[in-house]
Amino acid sequence: MNSASRWSLTLSLVLAMGACAPPVPTNPPETRVEPTITGGWSQAAIDEDAKSAAVFAVTALNRPGATLKSLDAAQSQVVAGLNYRLDLTLTDGSRWQVVVYRNLQSAFSLTSSTPLP
């Protein structure tokens, strides 16, 4: 076999090996995803569920004549059910931070209430 034939054979083998090689992985752009903290509080949408929890809390606070004026902030915590931590303003001018638990059957209970300044 002459040198030209050897060169041609070597080149053919190199090309064939390259075609069989696994593709070089390309890394997707790095995306930062915040880890979910089990049992941790997170911002919650002020949606119908949060509003229902707020209305329940006002009733459970038992402040005669007072109704919900505004739901100012909402956080949620996944447990065996769902906790809502809500900042409320009532029509009597008082402000409260309440925690309302919604169990797996969707029944509410007031677990804490703290007047806010």
Side-chain angles (χ1 to χ4, degrees):
M1 190 183 269
N2 64 25
S3 69
S5 295
R6 266 190 255 145
W7 173 249
S8 179
L9 180 61
T10 303
L11 182 59
S12 295
L13 287 172
V14 168
L15 290 175
M17 287 173 40
C20 295
V24 176
T26 57
N27 293 329
E30 190 172 320
T31 351
R32 182 160 173 83
V33 176
E34 293 297 321
T36 301
I37 300 171
T38 304
W41 290 97
S42 60
Q43 287 302 114
I46 297 179
D47 58 9
E48 291 305 312
D49 289 337
K51 289 177 185 175
S52 294
V55 168
F56 172 83
V58 172
T59 303
L61 286 171
N62 195 25
R63 297 186 56 87
T67 58
L68 180 65
K69 181 177 180 181
S70 64
L71 172 52
D72 305 319
Q75 295 180 316
S76 63
Q77 179 186 42
V78 177
V79 290
L82 191 66
N83 281 324
Y84 288 100
R85 184 164 52 196
L86 308 170
D87 290 353
L88 311 175
T89 301
L90 306 186
T91 54
D92 66 1
S94 63
R95 295 187 63 238
W96 294 84
Q97 183 174 76
V98 297
V99 176
V100 176
Y101 171 67
R102 186 182 76 197
N103 68 20
L104 297 174
Q105 292 75 36
S106 296
F108 290 120
S109 59
L110 182 66
T111 58
S112 74
S113 58
T114 306
L116 295 172

